[in-house]
Amino acid sequence: MGNATALRRNARGLPLWGRLALHTVLIAGSGLMLLPFLVMLLVSLMPKEVILTRAYRLELVSLQNYFETFRVVPFGRFYLNSVIVATSTTVLQILIASLAAFAFARLRFRGRDALFLLYLTTLMIPFQVTMIPNFVIIRYLAWYNTYQALILPSAFSVFSTFLMRQYFLTLPMDLDEAARMDGAGSWRIWAQIILPLSGPIVATLAIFNFQGSWNDFLWPLVITNTPSMRTIPVGLAAFQGQYNTEWHLLMAGSVVALLPVLILYIIGQNWFVRGITLSGMGGR
Amino acid sequence: MTTQARTAQSSPALRRNPFRWRPDHQWEAYLFLAPSLLGFLVFVAAPVVMSFLLSFVSWNLLQPPDWVGLANFRHLLTRDPVFWRVMGNTAYFMVTIVPLQLVFGLALAVALNQAIRGILLYRVIYFMPVVTTIVAGAIVFQFLLNRDFGIVSRVIWDFAALTGLPIEPPDFLNSTRWSKPAVVMLTLWKNTGFTMVIYLAALQGVPQELYDAAHVDGAGAWQRFRNVTFPLISPTTFFLFIIQMIGAFQLFTEAYAMTRGGPAQSTTTVVYYIYQNAFEFQRMGRASAIAWILFVFIFLFTYIQTRMQRRWVHYEAG
């Protein structure tokens, strides 16, 4: 036993110089990773003239650029749009996916496996293939430049359905059967047994999809054309195209754009990592 | 009602296990599926079929579509020099981004898998760019790489002054030679944390006993990595390789936000070209044809890799 722990320490623990070297490299790497964030914050707090002279001084810090950014571009509106779109997409996606996953994992019906296979097959098709017809359909429905157009196509996700089904399959079937014996129908089993037991997967998908929707770029870019419907990333890109030398404003806009996801990330960083690992491992 | 009864009777699972109480959920199941199926039909299944048909027409959204047969594909593959340029650009991004990201991600994961302090903090920092909006990242990178006042050019000037070497910082974003490396840098900064987190999860699944055994047999650190770690995490490497290749094929936002595909189309990717054809030139048919060529490429590459994995990917026996 003592031998085993000694071995373990030998195999795992590094000598002091090794640990120091590792920390040096990791800290340098962290600096590189954080540099863009720090530069963004610094420039956003400095007056315009300082950028060319590089005479950054602590006394010059002010929120002036933020006020001006909100004055020249409708950032408040972008924010509102992003909050509406990301929240509704996430809620709808989880609701729709959990209903479908419940049917796939807990109910038996004709054609279940064939349908599920068809769902999975479409995971291979890149978004770019369906993007143009989706654009045509949205225009046909007269939804161009509306919230429906931003929300509904992403409210349905094969991938979320797949991950939820995999999770539901791990819950014992006896639960359903006991509930049915007690007279509960499928809806009650879904709402009062399966969903309450699925906290981890729901939280993971929620945080992961919210982040994905918040940062989504290509679809909001093609389906909106007025500032009043732009989400944060698309609004920021348009702002960048328009004010491409006004670094002090662009940096303030970038900080504003990043803040919500970064706060969400710092609070729920374990869920983020879980979401990534989960999707990375195909739900295993 | 009678159909339901017949279904229940003919279901093989029910016959096999007649004592297990199994209600027939046929119609209920479709109710649960209805919202999902509706979304699937309208936004996935129908568009796939439509997209295929669109690739054989010429359509500017204003006039009715015109059936042109294979003309879109023929034009792209034989008469459109821009198409091959954007394919080349995409290939460049693939052969740079994919290996670099795998190497950096694995190195970081191995470093963070050691028994040292502050692992959690390092992980938070390295993963932070993954959750950020690419456009914001691109704005800062444009600033950092700016020839006149960017930090990168400043470092290069200082280095030149210090060593007396005749080097000058490149004008990253306005030079056809340096625009691609600039996009690569942004992508690596943004995505390496993702690779790291997936690798870290894989490394934590390698049983400690194997290292102990290798250690007893006198294997050094490199040998342990080469002969124990690397084979055991090869399924993860394979998986990351595939999804990053697909990601590189689909590169768009980084190039759009960083350089708008320029200068002189040096960073225009295949997906960027789809976007341009559809939404700048109003060539819906041509854009759909490019999307299908992209799909075929992705499919072929994935298929070839899957066939080749036998040679180097080790799945645990049993």
Side-chain angles (χ1 to χ4, degrees):
Chain A
M1 188 63 207
N3 227 345
T5 36
L7 264 181
R8 183 163 290 257
R9 205 177 307 126
N10 274 339
R12 296 284 290 194
L14 290 168
L16 182 67
W17 64 267
R19 288 204 302 271
L20 281 177
L22 203 57
H23 277 298
T24 314
V25 173
L26 284 172
I27 288 171
S30 303
L32 277 180
M33 286 287 152
L34 290 177
L35 180 75
F37 295 110
L38 298 176
V39 168
M40 193 188 290
L41 189 65
L42 177 74
V43 175
S44 76
L45 295 171
M46 289 289 149
K48 188 183 180 182
E49 310 77 53
V50 173
I51 294 162
L52 289 172
T53 60
R54 288 172 174 153
Y56 295 102
R57 281 205 319 273
L58 212 58
E59 310 90 87
L60 297 174
V61 167
S62 90
L63 290 175
Q64 189 53 41
N65 297 337
Y66 288 85
F67 295 123
E68 200 177 337
T69 302
F70 273 86
R71 202 166 50 235
V72 295
V73 263
F75 246 102
R77 181 70 198 219
F78 300 164
Y79 238 84
L80 181 73
N81 291 342
S82 273
V83 169
I84 291 174
V85 170
T87 312
S88 355
T89 305
T90 308
V91 171
L92 280 174
Q93 204 187 91
I94 285 176
L95 194 69
I96 294 172
S98 75
L99 283 169
F102 181 80
F104 280 130
R106 318 295 286 195
L107 302 176
R108 7 177 89 239
F109 57 97
R110 249 172 176 341
R112 180 182 69 181
D113 297 344
L115 189 62
F116 188 63
L117 195 67
L118 184 68
Y119 264 52
L120 286 190
T121 314
T122 60
L123 274 180
M124 280 193 1
I125 296 167
F127 164 71
Q128 291 80 18
V129 168
T130 52
M131 174 178 74
I132 293 160
N134 268 322
F135 174 80
V136 173
I137 291 172
I138 291 293
R139 267 176 51 115
Y140 178 78
L141 294 169
W143 284 355
Y144 182 68
N145 206 34
T146 62
Y147 284 122
Q148 297 94 291
L150 287 167
I151 295 164
L152 289 181
S154 2
F156 158 79
S157 154
V158 171
F159 195 61
S160 295
T161 312
F162 170 68
L163 288 183
M164 270 214 196
R165 171 193 179 262
Q166 300 306 92
Y167 189 87
F168 288 175
L169 283 177
T170 64
L171 304 173
M173 261 323 224
D174 302 348
L175 292 173
D176 301 36
E177 279 164 25
R180 284 189 201 280
M181 290 293 193
D182 293 343
S186 296
W187 298 99
R188 269 189 74 180
I189 296 175
W190 171 75
Q192 292 182 0
I193 294 174
I194 301 297
L195 275 190
L197 286 173
S198 307
I201 187 82
V202 170
T204 304
L205 282 177
I207 210 156
F208 191 61
N209 288 331
F210 185 89
Q211 181 263 142
S213 179
W214 185 275
N215 291 334
D216 193 14
F217 188 75
L218 184 50
W219 180 248
L221 177 71
V222 305
I223 211 65
T224 60
N225 66 346
T226 60
S228 65
M229 284 314 294
R230 277 182 191 135
T231 55
I232 292 250
V234 179
L236 189 62
F239 179 42
Q240 172 204 27
Q242 227 177 331
Y243 292 81
N244 57 18
T245 53
E246 311 283 319
W247 294 105
H248 56 304
L249 300 183
L250 286 174
M251 296 294 178
S254 299
V255 172
V256 169
L258 288 188
L259 224 49
V261 235
L262 278 190
I263 292 173
L264 196 68
Y265 167 62
I266 303 284
I267 296 171
Q269 62 102 5
N270 260 320
W271 294 105
F272 266 95
V273 172
R274 257 180 99 132
I276 292 272
T277 320
L278 199 71
S279 56
M281 298 295 174
R284 269 178 292 154
Chain B
M1 194 57 216
T2 44
T3 8
Q4 254 179 315
R6 215 179 304 129
T7 322
Q9 244 169 19
S10 61
S11 166
L14 279 184
R15 249 181 290 132
R16 219 181 302 126
N17 194 351
F19 299 109
R20 200 143 178 209
W21 189 72
R22 286 282 194 202
D24 190 8
H25 302 303
Q26 191 76 17
W27 301 113
E28 224 172 27
Y30 287 131
L31 279 180
F32 274 93
L33 275 173
S36 174
L37 263 179
L38 187 70
F40 182 74
L41 286 176
V42 177
F43 299 118
V44 180
V48 171
V49 178
M50 266 174 80
S51 166
F52 187 69
L53 295 175
L54 277 177
S55 65
F56 299 106
V57 302
S58 168
W59 189 27
N60 64 2
L61 286 175
L62 301 172
Q63 274 107 28
D66 208 3
W67 187 266
V68 294
L70 289 170
N72 285 325
F73 293 97
R74 216 179 304 127
H75 176 88
L76 287 166
L77 297 173
T78 61
R79 281 198 301 272
D80 186 357
V82 181
F83 175 74
W84 290 108
R85 191 171 318 143
V86 303
M87 288 294 282
N89 292 343
T90 306
Y92 177 99
F93 289 128
M94 204 150 64
V95 300
T96 49
I97 292 170
V98 176
L100 287 174
Q101 214 168 287
L102 286 176
V103 170
F104 286 147
L106 180 56
L108 278 174
V110 169
L112 291 192
N113 199 35
Q114 307 299 321
I116 55 166
R117 276 164 194 273
I119 299 287
L120 217 62
L121 183 64
Y122 286 129
R123 196 182 69 174
V124 168
I125 292 172
Y126 283 101
F127 193 73
M128 212 146 105
V130 179
V131 302
T132 59
T133 308
I134 300 174
V135 183
I139 290 174
V140 190
F141 267 71
Q142 287 177 333
F143 183 81
L144 293 174
L145 295 174
N146 186 292
R147 193 185 158 100
D148 299 325
F149 47 80
I151 291 179
V152 176
S153 66
R154 172 73 169 269
V155 169
I156 297 174
W157 280 127
D158 287 353
F159 181 76
L162 210 68
T163 57
L165 290 171
I167 47 171
E168 271 185 32
D171 192 358
F172 281 98
L173 301 168
N174 297 310
S175 121
T176 50
R177 197 160 141 216
W178 289 96
S179 56
K180 284 194 204 55
V183 174
V184 171
M185 280 188 251
L186 171 69
T187 312
L188 286 179
W189 172 76
K190 167 100 172 86
N191 291 343
T192 302
F194 169 79
T195 314
M196 175 199 82
V197 160
I198 304 272
Y199 262 136
L200 200 52
L203 286 175
Q204 281 161 0
V206 177
Q208 183 60 36
E209 295 84 57
L210 290 176
Y211 288 120
D212 295 345
H215 200 258
V216 169
D217 290 345
W222 170 250
Q223 279 177 313
R224 285 199 299 271
F225 176 78
R226 180 70 194 81
N227 299 318
V228 180
T229 314
F230 198 73
L232 280 175
I233 59 167
S234 58
T236 304
T237 305
F238 173 69
F239 164 79
L240 284 170
F241 185 81
I242 295 281
I243 56 162
Q244 279 173 13
M245 203 186 60
I246 296 176
F249 262 124
Q250 299 182 333
L251 194 81
F252 171 75
T253 314
E254 288 84 349
Y256 182 92
M258 194 75 161
T259 51
R260 293 288 193 275
Q265 291 164 329
S266 59
T267 55
T268 307
T269 59
V270 176
V271 174
Y272 204 118
Y273 199 45
I274 296 176
Y275 167 80
Q276 281 185 321
N277 268 283
F279 305 109
E280 284 176 17
F281 316 143
Q282 268 72 44
R283 289 187 202 131
M284 294 296 154
R286 183 87 50 84
S288 300
I290 307 169
W292 277 90
I293 296 175
L294 172 74
F295 178 37
V296 168
F297 266 92
I298 291 180
F299 183 84
L300 280 180
F301 269 64
T302 312
Y303 179 75
I304 293 168
Q305 290 308 324
T306 313
R307 290 302 298 260
M308 272 168 48
Q309 66 165 321
R310 238 174 285 154
R311 299 206 194 138
W312 62 277
V313 180
H314 303 264
Y315 292 101
E316 273 172 85

